[in-house]
Amino acid sequence: MGIREFPGGAPRGKSIAIGMRRSPDVSPRRLSDISPQLRQLKYLVVDEAIKEDLKWSRSVEDLTSGPVGLTSIEERILRITGYYGYQPWATSCKREERPRDSPGPAEAQAPAGAEAGGRGSRRCWTCSRAQLKKVFWGVAVVLCVCASWAGSTQLAKQTFRKFDAPFTLTWFATNWNFLFFPLYYAGHVCKSAEKQSVKQRYRECCRFFGDNGLTLKVFFTKAAPFGVLWTLTNYLYLHAIKKINTTDVSVLFCCNKAFVFLLSWIVLRDRFMGVRIVAAILAIAGIVMMTYADGFHSHSVIGIALVVGSASMSALYKVLFKLLLGSAKFGEAALFLSILGVFNILFITCIPVILYFTKVEYWSSFADIPWGNLCGFSVLLLTFNIVLNFGIAVTYPTLMSLGIVLSVPVNAVVDHYTSQIVFNGVRVIAIIIIGLGFLLLLLPEEWDVWLIKLLTRLKVRKKEEAVEGGADLGSGPQSKNRRGRPSFAR
């Protein structure tokens, strides 16, 4: 069929010639067979619209260059097709062309352009509305995170004035984690179009732990360690509130972001980022300065060590979760947190009992327990964890993290009016350094690329403005000269 076989078995140019029509009757095998038709192309007058349509090929330029153009066309046929069966003069081989009718007037084309512009503007308006909605929800989430975290910290401080039992308070608040999955299922029933039973939803979420679901082995190997880390994180944080003021506790706990980066870099082999190393150094420097602010007293040193230990346990919890379990969906995260509550009820309950009978955490009667403070603290902590885990569904994760660092000034204002805290220069600098390190850790991984693009765009815009300004200055005298010349036309 006009395909020349070459040594090696594969027809040369077969894959390139796909889609090219070949006439079954006439199959020229030499360039001399099609040279008359090629010579006729020399006298072809090419319209400007067709030239624009054929910009992808230099054949239009070759047609007007005499015999050299014809030779280049012949060479192109040889090179592209690999055989001489392609007949470019056949009408059946012509690709579809645009109509050659003259374009309509601008008034006729305006509605189509307006319609296209309207679609683009509606798309931009929809995009901007979605972004504005996400930012609005982000502000609401930030305020909720800030209020719940600062409120739980201040309420815990007040609770210890009447009920000096940080571990019992930790145990009581962790029991409320059992409500995560019931609350998630209630939201699933209200929002989801395909409603499932509790058993079906539970089985589907249990796939997060493996093909066998939640077995006893999985419970003790993948859930129990995180239950211990959860309890240690909250207990060390609450015990530190007894030793130092809530402002120092909240700002020092922000260092957990730096610890997460260091552990992820070492354990998970995450990408190295110099700006995050700088943030980690700032966090460590802030811890040292915070210790120096109170003169290295034993009371403050113990409190700072407890907060740093709490931040370390929180970072270890997050890194191990990513290492062992990966990422979880909303239902899977809710089920996991409810399992932590069950673990706390079954295996941690004995510890507050032991502490009570050994009078380490002792209270005279159950009537003296401030149940309102305990329940309020538990509700605020539950709200904080719910918003922090599920707020990503409505806003950006970076905005949620801002709520934690914004709780520092809130606690500072409350401490200023309710306690005898002294905001000396060293403490203020330490708070600023730790806050700056926290904000640096919120930068995305591609922040340097985005910054370079932004600077490049600004430079290009400045150059364009300079060129436009020069063009305006250059055209000014010329226009004056044109206006100043007398007209001799009668």
Side-chain angles (χ1 to χ4, degrees), residues 186-201:
H188 165 74
V189 171
C190 295
K191 293 292 184 180
S192 180
E194 298 179 359
K195 297 177 175 58
Q196 298 176 334
S197 63
V198 178
K199 192 174 182 180
Q200 290 175 341
R201 200 62 190 166

Side-chain angles (χ1 to χ4, degrees), residues 84-156:
Y84 306 134
Y86 173 50
Q87 299 179 6
W89 62 88
T91 55
S92 58
C93 298
K94 293 180 181 178
R95 60 187 181 89
E96 295 181 1
E97 297 179 352
R98 289 181 294 184
R100 298 185 181 181
D101 297 336
S102 59
E107 292 80 1
Q109 295 180 359
E115 184 179 356
R119 287 197 297 268
S121 61
R122 283 197 297 271
R123 190 182 300 109
C124 295
W125 173 243
T126 305
C127 182
S128 61
R129 282 183 59 186
Q131 291 177 350
L132 287 175
K133 184 178 180 180
K134 211 166 187 179
V135 171
F136 172 78
W137 277 108
V139 173
V141 167
V142 165
L143 294 177
C144 189
V145 169
C146 178
S148 58
W149 187 240
S152 61
T153 303
Q154 293 294 333
L155 195 56

Side-chain angles (χ1 to χ4, degrees), residues 473-485:
L473 291 175
S475 61
Q478 295 177 4
S479 61
K480 289 181 180 179
N481 292 335
R482 292 195 190 98
R483 287 195 298 268
R485 291 175 183 172

